[in-house]
Amino acid sequence: MGEAKETPFRQANQALRSDMEHVNQELVVMPELALDAAIRSGIEQGRKRSIRRNRKRWSVSMFAAGLSVILLLTAFVRVSPVFASIVKEIPGFSGFVELIQGDKSLFTAMENDFIQPIKLSDEKNGYIFTIDGIIADDQRMAILYTVEGPGINGNTGFLDYKLKTSDGKDLVASIGSSHYPNDDAEGSSVPVHQYLDILMGEGSKMPESLQFSLLLGGQWLKVEFPIEHKRFEGMREEISIEQKVEIGGQRFTVKNAVITPLQIAVTIEADATNDKHANGFINIALVDEKGRRYESNSAFGDSNTSITRHFKSSYFVKPKKLTLIADGLYVSENNLSITVDTDKIETISSPNNRLLLASKELLNGEYEVKFDLLSQDEIDKKPGYTLFPHGGTFKDGAGVSYPISDSRGVQWNSNEDKVTYVYRIPAADYKQPLTFSIEQYPGYVLKPISIPIK
């Protein structure tokens, strides 16, 4: 009975393995050239519109972490028509190909039958919520699900959700979700495939089961499903590194790496005596002996103290060598600040006169203030600077402190050399001027690093 259920996956795997050699040759020859072109094109389009952070939701149990960016690419389907045709014959999973193919970890996991079929649904008043399957290891999980019902289509927009353990407790993890609108006609009813990307917090174990609730048609639909730990039991490699590196006078220690089917976690500690603020490594990645890159788009911690970066996984590729590389370090001076007059919309002082108060507007009982960061080159533009500390404060002219709401978004245009940061502050009658402490600011040191991981 179990073998009958697995047959479509076995058939897909046989076809994939026969096609894999050709695919890998193609990817080795042009691995990042095509990807870079697609990414640059996407970024250029994205820069023409405001970027809001409502595409990523974080568990309240976790501290703020960088957002994961999911890039949808179609290169592999063009290279591997066998995969494109076979996956359509696997019931319930063909609609997820384009969602996950931009993530090498999830894609190679699917290639290797590393999927736990679920096929559980909840239905109310014509709305259906189905969990098709999961891809999971002991630290990360992607939940593949489908929603359908009256008026549900690719343009429905973000659907609110709840995710709890079987005993009703909040999951200690970062939880990412993304929505990409398509060309479905307005008002049409078309099944929509999506997935949640769950990254367990450091020290937190993958639960035995989860309760996933979704808000559809003004009502909550809930599905509880098990997580089969035997599928990934023992699939974990821990490597001690303890390698020191210095960039621009700032010292770091690459502590260790943990390789699992869905990610590689590398922990890097900053020296406590560093005299500048580290804001991240430039173009950090892992590279194997064939030149294949494993990028990082999420992390826990702070580059200025200790950070664990998560890279795409090489687990199923099984390279002989793996090297951590970077082009340098984003770094800024400590104790920076900007002083402004929000009544006159004037900037009194700022580092290098590159950060300017652009506007103030009363919105929903708060002031929305915008700051323009000027004269950024191509390297400066890559990171999303925090600017002001998370949960930070500012002082008015009388020395009274007020809270800063978290960032409301970042706006930029490819035709301009500025980036606009949007914040909210209380609507109060301030004694001018106002002074904001700066946590991260543009600046970098170029110095290539190369550290063997294995």
Side-chain angles (χ1 to χ4, degrees):
M1 181 174 176
E3 185 173 351
K5 289 184 178 180
E6 294 291 331
T7 296
F9 291 94
R10 294 179 186 274
Q11 292 175 344
N13 188 53
Q14 290 172 1
L16 283 168
R17 292 188 185 282
S18 65
D19 198 40
M20 191 178 297
E21 183 177 353
H22 167 69
V23 172
N24 284 336
Q25 289 174 352
E26 293 287 340
L27 292 177
V28 169
V29 172
M30 43 162 258
E32 298 308 319
L33 293 179
L35 292 180
D36 286 347
I39 292 169
R40 281 196 298 271
S41 175
I43 289 174
E44 289 302 311
Q45 294 180 34
R47 284 177 175 171
K48 296 178 182 178
R49 60 180 72 91
S50 297
I51 303 300
R52 298 277 179 185
R53 294 193 177 186
N54 60 353
R55 290 188 178 180
K56 197 70 162 182
R57 308 191 73 225
W58 301 95
S59 168
V60 294
S61 304
M62 293 299 297
F63 53 86
L67 299 183
S68 298
V69 179
I70 301 174
L71 301 174
L72 300 183
L73 306 174
T74 57
F76 194 93
V77 172
R78 290 197 296 270
V79 173
S80 179
V82 172
F83 179 79
S85 61
I86 290 295
V87 77
K88 292 178 181 177
E89 299 176 8
I90 303 177
F93 290 98
S94 61
F96 296 100
V97 179
E98 289 190 355
L99 284 177
I100 71 168
Q101 65 188 351
D103 189 313
K104 292 180 182 179
S105 298
L106 298 180
F107 204 79
T108 55
M110 178 176 275
E111 284 182 322
N112 288 271
D113 297 348
F114 198 61
I115 301 177
Q116 177 188 334
I118 301 294
K119 292 299 179 185
L120 294 175
S121 301
D122 190 12
E123 182 175 359
K124 291 180 182 178
N125 300 320
Y127 292 92
I128 304 174
F129 169 37
T130 301
I131 296 181
D132 299 273
I134 62 173
I135 305 174
D137 62 20
D138 66 359
Q139 285 298 299
R140 185 188 177 196
M141 175 169 56
I143 305 177
L144 312 177
Y145 67 94
T146 303
V147 293
E148 50 190 314
I152 296 294
N153 58 56
N155 294 307
T156 299
F158 181 78
L159 294 172
D160 200 7
Y161 64 85
K162 298 176 184 177
L163 197 61
K164 296 182 179 295
T165 58
S166 56
D167 57 2
K169 295 181 179 179
D170 289 327
L171 188 67
V172 183
S174 65
I175 307 169
S177 63
S178 297
H179 172 70
Y180 298 89
N182 57 30
D183 296 328
D184 291 341
E186 185 175 352
S188 63
S189 297
V190 180
V192 174
H193 303 288
Q194 291 290 351
Y195 77 95
L196 287 188
D197 194 350
I198 299 165
L199 189 60
M200 300 302 297
E202 292 188 63
S204 299
K205 296 182 179 180
M206 186 67 68
E208 298 295 326
S209 62
L210 283 176
Q211 298 176 358
F212 185 6
S213 301
L214 201 66
L215 188 61
L216 280 171
Q219 58 198 348
W220 287 101
L221 279 69
K222 182 173 71 174
V223 175
E224 183 169 353
F225 62 93
I227 301 168
E228 297 178 5
H229 284 234
K230 288 186 178 180
R231 287 179 175 266
F232 51 80
E233 186 176 11
M235 301 177 75
R236 178 186 179 95
E237 181 181 2
E238 299 186 19
I239 303 171
S240 177
I241 303 169
E242 297 295 337
Q243 178 76 37
K244 296 186 182 298
V245 62
E246 181 271 329
I247 305 176
Q250 310 307 299
R251 293 168 294 279
F252 304 86
T253 302
V254 182
K255 300 292 290 182
N256 55 61
V258 178
I259 302 175
T260 63
L262 300 185
Q263 69 175 18
I264 301 176
V266 178
T267 299
I268 305 173
E269 288 186 358
D271 193 300
T273 64
N274 287 347
D275 59 358
K276 294 185 179 181
H277 196 286
N279 300 320
F281 291 88
I282 302 172
N283 297 329
I284 190 169
L286 295 171
V287 180
D288 66 17
E289 74 278 4
K290 292 186 177 181
R292 289 173 294 212
R293 289 174 64 93
Y294 305 88
E295 305 287 350
S296 171
N297 57 15
S298 68
F300 284 142
D302 187 340
S303 296
N304 199 51
T305 52
S306 177
I307 191 167
T308 298
R309 293 219 61 95
H310 306 115
F311 297 84
K312 297 297 184 276
S313 181
S314 64
Y315 187 90
F316 292 109
V317 178
K318 299 189 182 306
K320 296 179 181 178
K321 295 182 179 179
L322 205 56
T323 303
L324 178 70
I325 64 170
D327 294 335
L329 179 71
Y330 293 106
V331 64
S332 55
E333 300 291 337
N334 288 317
N335 304 316
L336 297 178
S337 64
I338 177 174
T339 300
V340 299
D341 188 320
T342 55
D343 289 340
K344 299 178 180 179
I345 314 300
E346 289 182 353
T347 301
I348 297 173
S349 66
S350 76
N352 309 119
N353 296 318
R354 293 175 60 187
L355 185 62
L356 304 176
L357 176 64
S359 66
K360 178 188 76 173
E361 183 179 3
L362 183 62
L363 292 174
N364 299 320
E366 292 182 299
Y367 285 134
E368 181 176 272
V369 288
K370 295 184 178 181
F371 295 85
D372 287 342
L373 187 55
L374 309 177
S375 304
Q376 295 195 88
D377 60 25
E378 288 306 310
I379 296 177
D380 265 340
K381 285 182 179 179
K382 287 187 177 181
Y385 295 103
T386 302
L387 272 191
F388 306 141
H390 171 69
T393 61
F394 66 96
K395 291 184 178 181
D396 70 2
V400 179
S401 295
Y402 297 87
I404 305 172
S405 296
D406 285 341
S407 175
R408 308 298 294 186
V410 181
Q411 303 169 347
W412 74 97
N413 189 299
S414 59
N415 298 322
E416 299 176 345
D417 67 347
K418 71 176 182 180
V419 176
T420 300
Y421 290 81
V422 185
Y423 290 88
R424 295 277 179 89
I425 63 175
D429 185 14
Y430 300 112
K431 180 176 176 55
Q432 301 292 334
L434 311 183
T435 299
F436 296 76
S437 295
I438 296 173
E439 181 175 60
Q440 294 184 352
Y441 200 71
Y444 58 86
V445 176
L446 293 177
K447 179 184 177 181
I449 64 171
S450 178
I451 300 173
I453 300 297
K454 64 178 294 187

PDB file of all heavy atoms in Angstrom, residues 410-436:
ATOM      1  N   VAL A 410      10.716  50.689   2.481  1.00  0.00           N
ATOM      2  CA  VAL A 410      11.814  51.334   1.774  1.00  0.00           C
ATOM      3  C   VAL A 410      11.355  51.586   0.351  1.00  0.00           C
ATOM      4  O   VAL A 410      10.728  50.731  -0.274  1.00  0.00           O
ATOM      5  CB  VAL A 410      13.067  50.432   1.771  1.00  0.00           C
ATOM      6  CG1 VAL A 410      14.216  51.118   1.045  1.00  0.00           C
ATOM      7  CG2 VAL A 410      13.482  50.081   3.190  1.00  0.00           C
ATOM      8  N   GLN A 411      11.667  52.750  -0.161  1.00  0.00           N
ATOM      9  CA  GLN A 411      11.251  53.120  -1.514  1.00  0.00           C
ATOM     10  C   GLN A 411      12.475  53.527  -2.319  1.00  0.00           C
ATOM     11  O   GLN A 411      13.337  54.243  -1.812  1.00  0.00           O
ATOM     12  CB  GLN A 411      10.245  54.278  -1.471  1.00  0.00           C
ATOM     13  CG  GLN A 411       8.999  53.997  -0.645  1.00  0.00           C
ATOM     14  CD  GLN A 411       8.154  55.243  -0.409  1.00  0.00           C
ATOM     15  OE1 GLN A 411       8.600  56.351  -0.650  1.00  0.00           O
ATOM     16  NE2 GLN A 411       6.939  55.050   0.067  1.00  0.00           N
ATOM     17  N   TRP A 412      12.536  53.063  -3.563  1.00  0.00           N
ATOM     18  CA  TRP A 412      13.636  53.509  -4.411  1.00  0.00           C
ATOM     19  C   TRP A 412      13.261  53.347  -5.879  1.00  0.00           C
ATOM     20  O   TRP A 412      12.340  52.616  -6.236  1.00  0.00           O
ATOM     21  CB  TRP A 412      14.931  52.770  -4.093  1.00  0.00           C
ATOM     22  CG  TRP A 412      15.032  51.345  -4.551  1.00  0.00           C
ATOM     23  CD1 TRP A 412      15.623  50.884  -5.672  1.00  0.00           C
ATOM     24  CD2 TRP A 412      14.527  50.193  -3.864  1.00  0.00           C
ATOM     25  NE1 TRP A 412      15.537  49.522  -5.735  1.00  0.00           N
ATOM     26  CE2 TRP A 412      14.872  49.074  -4.648  1.00  0.00           C
ATOM     27  CE3 TRP A 412      13.832  50.009  -2.664  1.00  0.00           C
ATOM     28  CZ2 TRP A 412      14.542  47.778  -4.264  1.00  0.00           C
ATOM     29  CZ3 TRP A 412      13.502  48.719  -2.294  1.00  0.00           C
ATOM     30  CH2 TRP A 412      13.855  47.629  -3.092  1.00  0.00           C
ATOM     31  N   ASN A 413      13.988  54.045  -6.728  1.00  0.00           N
ATOM     32  CA  ASN A 413      13.766  54.019  -8.165  1.00  0.00           C
ATOM     33  C   ASN A 413      15.103  53.819  -8.841  1.00  0.00           C
ATOM     34  O   ASN A 413      16.103  54.441  -8.453  1.00  0.00           O
ATOM     35  CB  ASN A 413      13.111  55.325  -8.626  1.00  0.00           C
ATOM     36  CG  ASN A 413      12.648  55.268 -10.076  1.00  0.00           C
ATOM     37  OD1 ASN A 413      13.458  55.077 -10.981  1.00  0.00           O
ATOM     38  ND2 ASN A 413      11.355  55.444 -10.297  1.00  0.00           N
ATOM     39  N   SER A 414      15.138  52.981  -9.858  1.00  0.00           N
ATOM     40  CA  SER A 414      16.407  52.659 -10.509  1.00  0.00           C
ATOM     41  C   SER A 414      17.026  53.868 -11.192  1.00  0.00           C
ATOM     42  O   SER A 414      18.226  53.876 -11.478  1.00  0.00           O
ATOM     43  CB  SER A 414      16.199  51.544 -11.538  1.00  0.00           C
ATOM     44  OG  SER A 414      15.268  51.932 -12.521  1.00  0.00           O
ATOM     45  N   ASN A 415      16.229  54.892 -11.480  1.00  0.00           N
ATOM     46  CA  ASN A 415      16.749  56.080 -12.156  1.00  0.00           C
ATOM     47  C   ASN A 415      17.318  57.118 -11.196  1.00  0.00           C
ATOM     48  O   ASN A 415      17.790  58.172 -11.629  1.00  0.00           O
ATOM     49  CB  ASN A 415      15.638  56.734 -12.990  1.00  0.00           C
ATOM     50  CG  ASN A 415      15.135  55.813 -14.082  1.00  0.00           C
ATOM     51  OD1 ASN A 415      15.915  55.085 -14.695  1.00  0.00           O
ATOM     52  ND2 ASN A 415      13.830  55.839 -14.325  1.00  0.00           N
ATOM     53  N   GLU A 416      17.278  56.832  -9.887  1.00  0.00           N
ATOM     54  CA  GLU A 416      17.753  57.790  -8.893  1.00  0.00           C
ATOM     55  C   GLU A 416      18.845  57.159  -8.036  1.00  0.00           C
ATOM     56  O   GLU A 416      18.924  55.934  -7.907  1.00  0.00           O
ATOM     57  CB  GLU A 416      16.598  58.255  -8.003  1.00  0.00           C
ATOM     58  CG  GLU A 416      15.483  58.950  -8.770  1.00  0.00           C
ATOM     59  CD  GLU A 416      14.308  59.318  -7.878  1.00  0.00           C
ATOM     60  OE1 GLU A 416      14.235  58.780  -6.754  1.00  0.00           O
ATOM     61  OE2 GLU A 416      13.480  60.133  -8.300  1.00  0.00           O
ATOM     62  N   ASP A 417      19.692  58.009  -7.460  1.00  0.00           N
ATOM     63  CA  ASP A 417      20.762  57.495  -6.613  1.00  0.00           C
ATOM     64  C   ASP A 417      20.411  57.617  -5.130  1.00  0.00           C
ATOM     65  O   ASP A 417      21.284  57.682  -4.276  1.00  0.00           O
ATOM     66  CB  ASP A 417      22.076  58.228  -6.894  1.00  0.00           C
ATOM     67  CG  ASP A 417      22.037  59.687  -6.471  1.00  0.00           C
ATOM     68  OD1 ASP A 417      20.925  60.195  -6.196  1.00  0.00           O
ATOM     69  OD2 ASP A 417      23.107  60.315  -6.403  1.00  0.00           O
ATOM     70  N   LYS A 418      19.116  57.678  -4.824  1.00  0.00           N
ATOM     71  CA  LYS A 418      18.693  57.778  -3.434  1.00  0.00           C
ATOM     72  C   LYS A 418      17.773  56.628  -3.060  1.00  0.00           C
ATOM     73  O   LYS A 418      17.126  56.012  -3.917  1.00  0.00           O
ATOM     74  CB  LYS A 418      17.983  59.111  -3.175  1.00  0.00           C
ATOM     75  CG  LYS A 418      16.604  59.205  -3.814  1.00  0.00           C
ATOM     76  CD  LYS A 418      15.907  60.512  -3.438  1.00  0.00           C
ATOM     77  CE  LYS A 418      14.502  60.564  -4.044  1.00  0.00           C
ATOM     78  NZ  LYS A 418      13.807  61.823  -3.699  1.00  0.00           N
ATOM     79  N   VAL A 419      17.722  56.354  -1.763  1.00  0.00           N
ATOM     80  CA  VAL A 419      16.789  55.380  -1.207  1.00  0.00           C
ATOM     81  C   VAL A 419      16.035  56.085  -0.092  1.00  0.00           C
ATOM     82  O   VAL A 419      16.629  56.798   0.719  1.00  0.00           O
ATOM     83  CB  VAL A 419      17.530  54.149  -0.650  1.00  0.00           C
ATOM     84  CG1 VAL A 419      16.545  53.187   0.002  1.00  0.00           C
ATOM     85  CG2 VAL A 419      18.300  53.445  -1.760  1.00  0.00           C
ATOM     86  N   THR A 420      14.715  55.911  -0.055  1.00  0.00           N
ATOM     87  CA  THR A 420      13.879  56.592   0.935  1.00  0.00           C
ATOM     88  C   THR A 420      13.438  55.602   2.007  1.00  0.00           C
ATOM     89  O   THR A 420      12.848  54.559   1.707  1.00  0.00           O
ATOM     90  CB  THR A 420      12.651  57.221   0.275  1.00  0.00           C
ATOM     91  OG1 THR A 420      13.082  58.183  -0.705  1.00  0.00           O
ATOM     92  CG2 THR A 420      11.783  57.936   1.305  1.00  0.00           C
ATOM     93  N   TYR A 421      13.721  55.942   3.265  1.00  0.00           N
ATOM     94  CA  TYR A 421      13.325  55.120   4.414  1.00  0.00           C
ATOM     95  C   TYR A 421      12.136  55.774   5.111  1.00  0.00           C
ATOM     96  O   TYR A 421      12.138  56.981   5.350  1.00  0.00           O
ATOM     97  CB  TYR A 421      14.489  54.978   5.395  1.00  0.00           C
ATOM     98  CG  TYR A 421      15.609  54.112   4.858  1.00  0.00           C
ATOM     99  CD1 TYR A 421      16.557  54.626   3.979  1.00  0.00           C
ATOM    100  CD2 TYR A 421      15.711  52.770   5.224  1.00  0.00           C
ATOM    101  CE1 TYR A 421      17.580  53.832   3.485  1.00  0.00           C
ATOM    102  CE2 TYR A 421      16.732  51.973   4.734  1.00  0.00           C
ATOM    103  CZ  TYR A 421      17.657  52.507   3.864  1.00  0.00           C
ATOM    104  OH  TYR A 421      18.666  51.713   3.373  1.00  0.00           O
ATOM    105  N   VAL A 422      11.134  54.966   5.427  1.00  0.00           N
ATOM    106  CA  VAL A 422       9.882  55.473   5.974  1.00  0.00           C
ATOM    107  C   VAL A 422       9.698  54.960   7.405  1.00  0.00           C
ATOM    108  O   VAL A 422       9.769  53.756   7.651  1.00  0.00           O
ATOM    109  CB  VAL A 422       8.678  55.050   5.108  1.00  0.00           C
ATOM    110  CG1 VAL A 422       7.401  55.701   5.625  1.00  0.00           C
ATOM    111  CG2 VAL A 422       8.911  55.406   3.641  1.00  0.00           C
ATOM    112  N   TYR A 423       9.439  55.893   8.321  1.00  0.00           N
ATOM    113  CA  TYR A 423       9.222  55.539   9.728  1.00  0.00           C
ATOM    114  C   TYR A 423       7.976  56.253  10.251  1.00  0.00           C
ATOM    115  O   TYR A 423       7.476  57.193   9.630  1.00  0.00           O
ATOM    116  CB  TYR A 423      10.430  55.940  10.593  1.00  0.00           C
ATOM    117  CG  TYR A 423      11.664  55.124  10.347  1.00  0.00           C
ATOM    118  CD1 TYR A 423      12.571  55.489   9.362  1.00  0.00           C
ATOM    119  CD2 TYR A 423      11.926  53.977  11.102  1.00  0.00           C
ATOM    120  CE1 TYR A 423      13.715  54.735   9.128  1.00  0.00           C
ATOM    121  CE2 TYR A 423      13.061  53.221  10.871  1.00  0.00           C
ATOM    122  CZ  TYR A 423      13.953  53.600   9.883  1.00  0.00           C
ATOM    123  OH  TYR A 423      15.074  52.854   9.655  1.00  0.00           O
ATOM    124  N   ARG A 424       7.494  55.798  11.397  1.00  0.00           N
ATOM    125  CA  ARG A 424       6.402  56.474  12.105  1.00  0.00           C
ATOM    126  C   ARG A 424       6.884  56.883  13.499  1.00  0.00           C
ATOM    127  O   ARG A 424       7.603  56.124  14.152  1.00  0.00           O
ATOM    128  CB  ARG A 424       5.191  55.553  12.246  1.00  0.00           C
ATOM    129  CG  ARG A 424       4.524  55.165  10.919  1.00  0.00           C
ATOM    130  CD  ARG A 424       3.573  56.221  10.430  1.00  0.00           C
ATOM    131  NE  ARG A 424       2.962  55.863   9.163  1.00  0.00           N
ATOM    132  CZ  ARG A 424       1.830  55.163   9.044  1.00  0.00           C
ATOM    133  NH1 ARG A 424       1.201  54.727  10.143  1.00  0.00           N
ATOM    134  NH2 ARG A 424       1.330  54.877   7.870  1.00  0.00           N
ATOM    135  N   ILE A 425       6.487  58.085  13.920  1.00  0.00           N
ATOM    136  CA  ILE A 425       6.789  58.570  15.263  1.00  0.00           C
ATOM    137  C   ILE A 425       5.507  59.140  15.856  1.00  0.00           C
ATOM    138  O   ILE A 425       4.566  59.470  15.118  1.00  0.00           O
ATOM    139  CB  ILE A 425       7.908  59.629  15.254  1.00  0.00           C
ATOM    140  CG1 ILE A 425       7.467  60.867  14.452  1.00  0.00           C
ATOM    141  CG2 ILE A 425       9.199  59.048  14.689  1.00  0.00           C
ATOM    142  CD1 ILE A 425       8.473  62.017  14.496  1.00  0.00           C
ATOM    143  N   PRO A 426       5.416  59.266  17.187  1.00  0.00           N
ATOM    144  CA  PRO A 426       4.188  59.792  17.795  1.00  0.00           C
ATOM    145  C   PRO A 426       3.868  61.200  17.293  1.00  0.00           C
ATOM    146  O   PRO A 426       4.769  62.010  17.030  1.00  0.00           O
ATOM    147  CB  PRO A 426       4.513  59.809  19.293  1.00  0.00           C
ATOM    148  CG  PRO A 426       5.583  58.789  19.458  1.00  0.00           C
ATOM    149  CD  PRO A 426       6.403  58.851  18.212  1.00  0.00           C
ATOM    150  N   ALA A 427       2.580  61.499  17.176  1.00  0.00           N
ATOM    151  CA  ALA A 427       2.140  62.851  16.787  1.00  0.00           C
ATOM    152  C   ALA A 427       2.133  63.716  18.042  1.00  0.00           C
ATOM    153  O   ALA A 427       1.168  63.732  18.804  1.00  0.00           O
ATOM    154  CB  ALA A 427       0.766  62.797  16.152  1.00  0.00           C
ATOM    155  N   ALA A 428       3.238  64.407  18.285  1.00  0.00           N
ATOM    156  CA  ALA A 428       3.376  65.230  19.488  1.00  0.00           C
ATOM    157  C   ALA A 428       3.879  66.620  19.109  1.00  0.00           C
ATOM    158  O   ALA A 428       4.377  66.841  18.010  1.00  0.00           O
ATOM    159  CB  ALA A 428       4.342  64.564  20.473  1.00  0.00           C
ATOM    160  N   ASP A 429       3.738  67.562  20.059  1.00  0.00           N
ATOM    161  CA  ASP A 429       4.236  68.921  19.859  1.00  0.00           C
ATOM    162  C   ASP A 429       5.677  68.964  20.383  1.00  0.00           C
ATOM    163  O   ASP A 429       5.932  69.290  21.540  1.00  0.00           O
ATOM    164  CB  ASP A 429       3.353  69.913  20.608  1.00  0.00           C
ATOM    165  CG  ASP A 429       3.753  71.355  20.341  1.00  0.00           C
ATOM    166  OD1 ASP A 429       4.538  71.573  19.373  1.00  0.00           O
ATOM    167  OD2 ASP A 429       3.317  72.247  21.082  1.00  0.00           O
ATOM    168  N   TYR A 430       6.612  68.591  19.522  1.00  0.00           N
ATOM    169  CA  TYR A 430       7.998  68.443  19.944  1.00  0.00           C
ATOM    170  C   TYR A 430       8.706  69.791  20.094  1.00  0.00           C
ATOM    171  O   TYR A 430       8.454  70.731  19.333  1.00  0.00           O
ATOM    172  CB  TYR A 430       8.783  67.623  18.915  1.00  0.00           C
ATOM    173  CG  TYR A 430       8.256  66.233  18.698  1.00  0.00           C
ATOM    174  CD1 TYR A 430       7.665  65.872  17.479  1.00  0.00           C
ATOM    175  CD2 TYR A 430       8.341  65.261  19.693  1.00  0.00           C
ATOM    176  CE1 TYR A 430       7.188  64.604  17.259  1.00  0.00           C
ATOM    177  CE2 TYR A 430       7.866  63.979  19.479  1.00  0.00           C
ATOM    178  CZ  TYR A 430       7.290  63.658  18.267  1.00  0.00           C
ATOM    179  OH  TYR A 430       6.807  62.386  18.055  1.00  0.00           O
ATOM    180  N   LYS A 431       9.626  69.826  21.037  1.00  0.00           N
ATOM    181  CA  LYS A 431      10.569  70.934  21.094  1.00  0.00           C
ATOM    182  C   LYS A 431      11.688  70.581  20.118  1.00  0.00           C
ATOM    183  O   LYS A 431      12.374  69.577  20.271  1.00  0.00           O
ATOM    184  CB  LYS A 431      11.130  71.129  22.509  1.00  0.00           C
ATOM    185  CG  LYS A 431      12.126  72.281  22.615  1.00  0.00           C
ATOM    186  CD  LYS A 431      12.576  72.501  24.040  1.00  0.00           C
ATOM    187  CE  LYS A 431      13.651  73.585  24.109  1.00  0.00           C
ATOM    188  NZ  LYS A 431      13.220  74.861  23.488  1.00  0.00           N
ATOM    189  N   GLN A 432      11.851  71.388  19.098  1.00  0.00           N
ATOM    190  CA  GLN A 432      12.830  71.100  18.061  1.00  0.00           C
ATOM    191  C   GLN A 432      14.243  71.480  18.536  1.00  0.00           C
ATOM    192  O   GLN A 432      14.386  72.329  19.414  1.00  0.00           O
ATOM    193  CB  GLN A 432      12.461  71.871  16.787  1.00  0.00           C
ATOM    194  CG  GLN A 432      11.099  71.547  16.229  1.00  0.00           C
ATOM    195  CD  GLN A 432      11.005  70.131  15.678  1.00  0.00           C
ATOM    196  OE1 GLN A 432      11.992  69.529  15.267  1.00  0.00           O
ATOM    197  NE2 GLN A 432       9.788  69.589  15.670  1.00  0.00           N
ATOM    198  N   PRO A 433      15.293  70.851  17.955  1.00  0.00           N
ATOM    199  CA  PRO A 433      15.266  69.818  16.925  1.00  0.00           C
ATOM    200  C   PRO A 433      15.186  68.421  17.524  1.00  0.00           C
ATOM    201  O   PRO A 433      15.294  68.240  18.734  1.00  0.00           O
ATOM    202  CB  PRO A 433      16.603  70.036  16.222  1.00  0.00           C
ATOM    203  CG  PRO A 433      17.514  70.454  17.328  1.00  0.00           C
ATOM    204  CD  PRO A 433      16.667  71.318  18.238  1.00  0.00           C
ATOM    205  N   LEU A 434      15.007  67.412  16.639  1.00  0.00           N
ATOM    206  CA  LEU A 434      14.933  66.017  17.038  1.00  0.00           C
ATOM    207  C   LEU A 434      16.211  65.304  16.608  1.00  0.00           C
ATOM    208  O   LEU A 434      16.727  65.541  15.513  1.00  0.00           O
ATOM    209  CB  LEU A 434      13.725  65.324  16.394  1.00  0.00           C
ATOM    210  CG  LEU A 434      12.371  66.042  16.493  1.00  0.00           C
ATOM    211  CD1 LEU A 434      11.279  65.177  15.869  1.00  0.00           C
ATOM    212  CD2 LEU A 434      12.049  66.405  17.930  1.00  0.00           C
ATOM    213  N   THR A 435      16.720  64.423  17.481  1.00  0.00           N
ATOM    214  CA  THR A 435      17.952  63.696  17.184  1.00  0.00           C
ATOM    215  C   THR A 435      17.696  62.192  17.197  1.00  0.00           C
ATOM    216  O   THR A 435      17.173  61.653  18.179  1.00  0.00           O
ATOM    217  CB  THR A 435      19.058  64.040  18.198  1.00  0.00           C
ATOM    218  OG1 THR A 435      19.331  65.447  18.123  1.00  0.00           O
ATOM    219  CG2 THR A 435      20.335  63.276  17.884  1.00  0.00           C
ATOM    220  N   PHE A 436      18.064  61.540  16.096  1.00  0.00           N
ATOM    221  CA  PHE A 436      17.881  60.097  15.931  1.00  0.00           C
ATOM    222  C   PHE A 436      19.250  59.419  15.901  1.00  0.00           C
ATOM    223  O   PHE A 436      20.117  59.797  15.104  1.00  0.00           O
ATOM    224  CB  PHE A 436      17.155  59.779  14.620  1.00  0.00           C
ATOM    225  CG  PHE A 436      15.754  60.309  14.531  1.00  0.00           C
ATOM    226  CD1 PHE A 436      15.518  61.659  14.292  1.00  0.00           C
ATOM    227  CD2 PHE A 436      14.664  59.461  14.682  1.00  0.00           C
ATOM    228  CE1 PHE A 436      14.223  62.153  14.196  1.00  0.00           C
ATOM    229  CE2 PHE A 436      13.367  59.951  14.582  1.00  0.00           C
ATOM    230  CZ  PHE A 436      13.144  61.298  14.345  1.00  0.00           C
TER     231      PHE A 436
END
